[in-house]
Amino acid sequence: MILGEGFQLTFTDFSEFKSAVQVFMDRQSSLDRWNIFNKSYQIKDKSKIVVDSYNRLYLNLSSNEEIRVVIYINYQKFPEHFFSPANIFPENLNRYHIYKCPSVEKLLQQNDKHIVATAKKDGGFHYKFLSSTNKLMFETNNQHLYICRYCLAEFNKKYNSDLSPENFNINFYLEN
Ligand SMILES: [Zn+2]
């Protein structure tokens, strides 16, 4: 009798197990969302990047939510003895992409853990500066970056505008 009760207890509620898995997936999705909107999200599975009919980039989350993003490589190498945060200029750094331009097609074929997506709207990008031996020298969540030239040309054509990398604002893309 006692053994029987114990056996029953172990197998009473399979649905609770399923909901525990669901809770874990929901937590992962909300962590991913936080990184996308506040920092940067490492694109591990390149098939999660999709485009719409305007060639704009979206990240498909495990919750099946699609978030419009920009894509970029979030690090730069510098010789250690030359590096100073005061010597960082956006024209020397990786540019961000708003469309699936030829550079993005190449990026999506690479296996670089620094290829990231973001939907952070304040114009400050998460970025790392590494020495030639991969030592982290400086990390910021507020790096000014320029838009890719291919992407800007496509944007200017689509919107009949004449913006330069200096006066393009990420919100022209994320909020339209
Ligand atoms: Zn581009």
Side-chain angles (χ1 to χ4, degrees):
M1 288 292 272
I2 295 163
L3 268 177
E5 278 167 28
F7 183 84
Q8 270 204 330
L9 267 178
T10 321
F11 287 89
T12 39
D13 204 347
F14 184 64
S15 67
E16 266 182 37
F17 171 71
K18 282 209 289 195
S19 68
V21 171
Q22 193 56 53
V23 165
F24 174 78
M25 285 175 66
D26 290 349
R27 274 196 200 140
Q28 189 57 46
S29 287
S30 60
L31 180 64
D32 290 348
R33 283 184 108 264
W34 190 90
N35 279 319
I36 292 162
F37 286 104
N38 298 285
K39 207 172 171 187
S40 67
Y41 170 89
Q42 185 193 343
I43 307 168
K44 291 185 188 124
D45 180 356
K46 306 289 193 309
S47 70
K48 298 286 182 190
I49 296 294
V50 293
V51 294
D52 66 9
S53 57
Y54 294 95
N55 202 26
R56 296 180 293 202
L57 301 162
Y58 293 79
L59 180 69
N60 195 333
L61 287 187
S62 50
S63 56
N64 262 337
E65 182 186 8
E66 283 182 356
I67 299 172
R68 197 189 299 174
V69 292
V70 307
I71 291 178
Y72 67 106
I73 298 177
N74 74 345
Y75 84 106
Q76 200 88 19
K77 281 197 173 184
F78 263 87
E80 208 165 339
H81 47 288
F82 286 130
F83 181 76
S84 151
N87 290 336
I88 301 169
F89 301 102
E91 56 266 38
N92 301 328
L93 304 179
N94 294 315
R95 292 171 178 243
Y96 64 90
H97 305 272
I98 64 173
Y99 297 123
K100 196 172 184 183
C101 73
S103 297
V104 167
E105 291 192 20
K106 270 188 214 149
L107 280 187
L108 295 180
Q109 286 164 14
Q110 288 171 22
N111 227 347
D112 187 334
K113 66 178 176 151
H114 296 286
I115 300 171
V116 297
T118 189
K120 192 168 175 273
K121 291 184 177 176
D122 62 6
F125 289 83
H126 179 222
Y127 213 88
K128 295 172 190 170
F129 295 86
L130 307 180
S131 72
S132 47
T133 55
N134 286 327
K135 195 180 91 183
L136 181 64
M137 298 185 291
F138 182 62
E139 182 171 9
T140 174
N141 201 26
N142 197 29
Q143 181 59 52
H144 181 43
L145 296 180
Y146 284 159
I147 183 173
C148 149
R149 291 180 191 284
Y150 290 119
C151 290
L152 182 60
E154 190 170 338
F155 182 92
N156 278 334
K157 202 174 164 191
K158 279 190 168 92
Y159 291 89
N160 197 20
S161 57
D162 189 24
L163 294 166
S164 66
E166 291 80 6
N167 54 29
F168 183 85
N169 184 314
I170 194 169
N171 288 315
F172 298 158
Y173 165 74
L174 288 176
E175 293 185 345
N176 281 296

